[in-house]
Amino acid sequence: GRKSGPPTILCVASLKDRRKGVRTLVRAFELIKRDVPDAILKLSGEITPSIEVELAAMLTPAIRQDVHFLGTGELVDLPRLYREATVTCLPSMWEAFGLVVVESWASGTPVVVTRHGSFPELLAGSPHLGTMFDPQTNSFATTNAEGLAEALLAGIRLADQPGVSQACRERSLEYSWEKLGPGFDKLYRDLMRQN
């Protein structure tokens, strides 16, 4: 079931990188506040003062107070941020893997991501791990705020379902060093033998 407190959307990304879709996330957050008025958006990652001003200016004053710019913070704070979040959102394009997704799952938190890059493969066949939205582009960044808002609302509902946190934690184990390490070790040994 849902964690205590208001529904919290966490985005962990370089907020300076347009490819990460943070502007679209801010627009989508404004849209979901109609349905989830107590929702909070936490943005964690590298940001410049000018980008923070730009993102804040996109919000109405009443909603602006519910967007928290956390900066880069400390690495040790990330597990807590993931655990406290209702969903982790990474609306980026061209992600080769998306370690944020696995980190979120390890903390028992489902994700909201674009149906692009590596995300469809990561979430394949697992409706309890998160929701996806169509970026409606193959360009540099998604602009589909409406689609992201729908996915966020679905993700918040998903987080309420029993067993979701456990399913997320179990999926994260598939990416643990214990599971993947021996394959990497064998690959490196094979490559060294060839040279």
Side-chain angles (χ1 to χ4, degrees):
R2 171 152 329 143
K3 298 155 187 184
S4 62
T8 301
I9 299 159
L10 174 66
C11 178
V12 177
S14 171
L15 306 174
K16 296 178 359 181
D17 184 349
R18 285 192 171 271
R19 185 177 60 90
K20 299 295 183 180
V22 176
R23 288 161 184 82
T24 301
L25 174 56
V26 167
R27 287 196 301 275
F29 183 69
E30 182 99 24
L31 296 173
I32 73 160
K33 288 291 275 186
R34 293 182 289 212
D35 294 306
V36 189
D38 60 337
I40 291 172
L41 174 61
K42 292 183 178 181
L43 300 172
S44 176
E46 191 178 9
I47 190 168
T48 63
S50 62
I51 293 174
E52 185 172 334
V53 168
E54 175 194 348
L55 294 173
M58 294 169 63
L59 298 157
T60 57
I63 290 175
R64 167 61 187 94
Q65 67 187 3
D66 293 328
V67 177
H68 304 249
F69 295 95
L70 306 178
T72 52
E74 298 295 325
L75 194 57
V76 296
D77 294 331
L78 273 178
R80 176 186 51 79
L81 289 171
Y82 285 125
R83 280 192 310 273
E84 291 172 354
T86 307
V87 294
T88 299
C89 182
L90 189 59
S92 58
M93 300 286 288
W94 308 105
E95 285 291 341
F97 181 71
L99 188 58
V100 165
V101 170
V102 177
E103 290 172 344
S104 182
W105 288 340
S107 299
T109 302
V111 297
V112 176
V113 294
T114 51
R115 191 174 288 111
H116 192 271
S118 65
F119 297 141
E121 186 178 341
L122 281 171
L123 272 73
S126 302
H128 293 308
L129 300 177
T131 60
M132 291 186 284
F133 74 102
D134 183 351
Q136 293 185 339
T137 182
N138 225 1
S139 182
F140 195 62
T142 179
T143 56
N144 185 9
E146 294 79 10
L148 176 51
E150 288 175 21
L152 287 168
L153 292 171
I156 290 168
R157 287 190 301 272
L158 173 68
D160 270 341
Q161 296 178 9
V164 168
S165 286
Q166 186 61 34
C168 289
R169 282 190 283 278
E170 286 172 7
R171 174 56 74 91
S172 76
L173 295 175
E174 293 178 26
Y175 300 95
S176 69
W177 182 250
E178 290 76 20
K179 184 93 170 182
L180 298 178
F184 282 116
D185 186 53
K186 181 184 180 316
L187 174 67
Y188 289 132
R189 288 179 191 281
D190 290 348
L191 288 170
M192 289 171 60
R193 272 196 289 275
Q194 291 174 10
N195 292 329

